[in-house]
Amino acid sequence: MKQSKLMCALGLGLATMIASAASAAQEGPNPNRVWVKFKSVNAAGSASARGAVAAPNLGQRIQALRSKLGAAKAGDAVLNYQFDRINAAVMTLASPEAVKALRANPDVESVEIDQPRYLQAQSVPYGIDQVQARDAWDANRDGVIDTGAATGAGIKVCIIDSGLNKNHEEFAGLTITGYPTGWDTDTCGHGTHVAGTIAAANNSAGVVGVSPGKVSLHIVKIFGSNGYNGGEHGQCSWTYSSTLADAAQRCQAAGAKVINMSLGGPNSSITERTAFQTVADAGVLSIAAAGNDGNNTQSYPAGYSSVVSVAAVDSANVKAGFSQFTPKVELAAPGVDVQSTYPLKNDPLTVGTSSFAATPVAGSKQATASAAWVNGGLCQTSSSTWRNKIVVCQRGTNTFLDKITKAKSGRAAGVVIYNNVDGALNIGLYTGTAPNLSPTTTTLPAVGISKADGEYLVANLAGQTATVDATPSVANNAYQTMSGTSMATPHVAGSAAVVWSAKPTATAQQVRDALDATALDIDAAGRDDNTGWGLVQIPAAIAELQAQ
């Protein structure tokens, strides 16, 4: 949000608020409450062209209008707001007839209903309806299908990820266990986002999950601080195949029927493959992300036959450009711009009196820096003019790490990188080339912002002081939009839990077969490498499973 632009916009409309007992709260919006736009003074004939007669002010015109309505026995017009700068007022009239009389007044240019605006509380992410979750469990939804009240209750889903902010408002009352100590915190954000897609409560806040507040969760934290083995150093992006295999066995031991793995790597492991087959033989359904490299290379564990590989599609059911396409892709689910729970609240980037939504760059120094800012363009070469300044870089041409390295060479105090495509910029620092990337760190605080905000900053805020805060803070009511096959995977894991709850005696293979057989074919006819059998459809899968 740009505060300076917002205040300018509000200045147009914030005039005089008129308090009145007659404007007390009602059961619902009053259709007789209207915007009244007055004609310009000359058009209304209230003053001569020579200006010999003083033009009445807006308040006088409003009072004259109310008097005319009273004389016509149309009832009083209660004044709610007076907007002098736009020559308008908001009035609550006594009846529809009074509205008609108002429209006929020669001093009035237009009359329109004061349209209601509602508090935007809980929203339903588009993916929830794409997999038809509410058609299975929402009894208040038109056209809900009788699935025997299948909600996911009684099914435990194990999430192997970066932990969970257990205190987030969306997980209140949910049965949650985990491993190791610290599983109930999430310094990376990824695991909490995944969990929200599966199980966010159907309450008055935030978002709703595929199985809202019904499944139980077991969290195995392998990324981030307090993660075990590969995650012990606080890495949010990598671990070992042995750690993953051990985590899967812990999921099985905890009684999970479904495992969600929004993760993967480019190389297979014979021992890891054996471990997942053992888990499958024990009756657990493992589900993993197909990968985000946008090519036809195979990611693992999604590439093992014992694991369901999930591709990502957008809200139009088109395969995401980043989603890997291989012969192992089995199902597809929403994975583009998915809104879900998040454990951290990012402080905004401030520039002068303006404020912009910002996301700390993963791997940058978790610190705050405040200084005058300088436009570094693409930040391909460092400059002595960057010394002790906040350098603003545009995404593109060279890597994020290279931009920040150039800023560090120029003795900068901090870095802001803005996107070159629409949307927020949520990035990390890596060395190497895909798919062989290794996370790295820098000693400069850095944040990412959207293309629109970056362009506005560069064009309008020269000479202002910028404050970069790359230190995220824990929040129990935060939400964030993310994209990736990581986001598609929990849609399938949550769907599997809902389907399985319709027939708890079914086997993992029967649930998997039901999901495959009833998926909506959205790409090439039959199974294809882009989206597998297609988009998960919960009610049809339930019917298929119950018929077995």
Side-chain angles (χ1 to χ4, degrees), residues 184-255:
D184 52 357
T185 62
D186 183 5
T187 56
C188 303
H190 195 269
T192 300
H193 195 278
V194 165
T197 295
I198 294 172
N202 188 11
N203 53 23
S204 60
V207 297
V208 63
V210 176
S211 173
K214 299 299 182 181
V215 296
S216 60
L217 298 179
H218 186 71
I219 309 299
V220 182
K221 183 173 183 176
I222 62 173
F223 300 113
S225 59
N226 301 118
Y228 70 103
N229 288 346
E232 63 192 13
H233 302 298
Q235 291 288 354
C236 286
S237 55
W238 66 271
T239 189
Y240 297 105
S241 63
S242 58
T243 302
L244 182 57
D246 180 75
Q249 291 179 351
R250 293 182 184 276
C251 291
Q252 176 193 333

Side-chain angles (χ1 to χ4, degrees), residues 472-534:
S473 54
V474 175
N476 296 328
N477 58 356
Y479 300 85
Q480 184 158 307
T481 298
M482 298 176 71
S483 296
T485 52
S486 281
M487 285 61 254
T489 305
H491 281 93
V492 176
S495 296
V498 173
V499 172
W500 210 332
S501 70
K503 189 177 180 180
T505 58
T507 66
Q509 188 60 51
Q510 287 174 322
V511 173
R512 183 175 182 174
D513 290 343
L515 291 169
D516 291 349
T518 58
L520 178 65
D521 198 346
I522 55 176
D523 205 289
R527 201 223 140 260
D528 61 81
D529 290 356
N530 285 332
T531 61
W533 293 108

Side-chain angles (χ1 to χ4, degrees), residues 160-541:
I160 302 175
D161 213 292
S162 61
L164 176 77
N165 177 6
K166 186 182 177 183
N167 294 322
H168 196 285
E169 61 185 350
E170 293 291 358
F171 304 125
L174 199 64
T175 299
I176 313 175
T177 54
Y179 177 87
T181 301
W183 64 265
D184 52 357
T185 62
D186 183 5
T187 56
C188 303
H190 195 269
T192 300
H193 195 278
V194 165
T197 295
I198 294 172
N202 188 11
N203 53 23
S204 60
V207 297
V208 63
V210 176
S211 173
K214 299 299 182 181
V215 296
S216 60
L217 298 179
H218 186 71
I219 309 299
V220 182
K221 183 173 183 176
I222 62 173
F223 300 113
S225 59
N226 301 118
Y228 70 103
N229 288 346
E232 63 192 13
H233 302 298
Q235 291 288 354
C236 286
S237 55
W238 66 271
T239 189
Y240 297 105
S241 63
S242 58
T243 302
L244 182 57
D246 180 75
Q249 291 179 351
R250 293 182 184 276
C251 291
Q252 176 193 333
K257 287 195 169 186
V258 180
I259 298 177
N260 186 98
M261 295 175 288
S262 294
L263 49 84
N267 300 308
S268 65
S269 161
I270 295 175
T271 310
E272 183 188 43
R273 180 180 64 193
T274 301
F276 276 103
Q277 185 60 58
T278 301
V279 169
D281 292 342
V284 180
L285 181 59
S286 296
I287 301 169
N292 298 331
D293 288 335
N295 56 33
N296 63 352
T297 60
Q298 183 59 61
S299 181
Y300 298 91
Y304 302 133
S305 59
S306 60
V307 178
V308 176
S309 176
V310 181
V313 297
D314 62 16
S315 59
N317 288 341
V318 176
K319 185 189 80 70
F322 56 75
S323 187
Q324 285 167 232
F325 45 97
T326 75
K328 292 294 186 179
V329 170
E330 189 166 336
L331 290 168
V336 178
D337 293 336
V338 175
Q339 181 82 353
S340 188
T341 48
Y342 206 69
L344 308 171
K345 179 177 68 174
N346 298 325
D347 291 319
L349 165 71
T350 59
V351 183
T353 59
S354 296
S355 180
F356 307 91
T359 303
V361 174
S364 67
K365 184 178 181 180
Q366 292 193 359
T368 301
S370 185
W373 72 272
V374 60
N375 185 2
L378 289 169
C379 294
Q380 292 177 276
T381 57
S382 61
S383 169
S384 60
T385 62
W386 295 358
R387 185 184 179 95
N388 297 326
K389 301 284 181 59
I390 302 297
V391 182
V392 177
C393 307
Q394 184 184 28
R395 177 183 186 178
T397 308
N398 54 333
T399 67
F400 302 122
L401 177 60
D402 186 56
K403 294 178 190 296
I404 295 175
T405 300
K406 293 294 193 299
K408 184 179 179 180
S409 298
R411 310 285 295 276
V415 180
V416 175
I417 302 176
Y418 66 95
N419 216 341
N420 58 0
V421 295
D422 291 338
L425 187 61
N426 189 350
I427 56 176
L429 302 180
Y430 301 90
T431 58
T433 57
N436 298 309
L437 296 174
S438 299
T440 188
T441 59
T442 179
T443 56
L444 285 182
V447 298
I449 62 175
S450 71
K451 177 176 181 285
D453 286 349
E455 291 175 344
Y456 178 82
L457 188 164
V458 169
N460 297 284
L461 300 179
Q464 303 291 321
T465 296
T467 299
V468 172
D469 190 342
T471 307
S473 54
V474 175
N476 296 328
N477 58 356
Y479 300 85
Q480 184 158 307
T481 298
M482 298 176 71
S483 296
T485 52
S486 281
M487 285 61 254
T489 305
H491 281 93
V492 176
S495 296
V498 173
V499 172
W500 210 332
S501 70
K503 189 177 180 180
T505 58
T507 66
Q509 188 60 51
Q510 287 174 322
V511 173
R512 183 175 182 174
D513 290 343
L515 291 169
D516 291 349
T518 58
L520 178 65
D521 198 346
I522 55 176
D523 205 289
R527 201 223 140 260
D528 61 81
D529 290 356
N530 285 332
T531 61
W533 293 108
L535 180 70
V536 170
Q537 303 287 272
I538 291 176

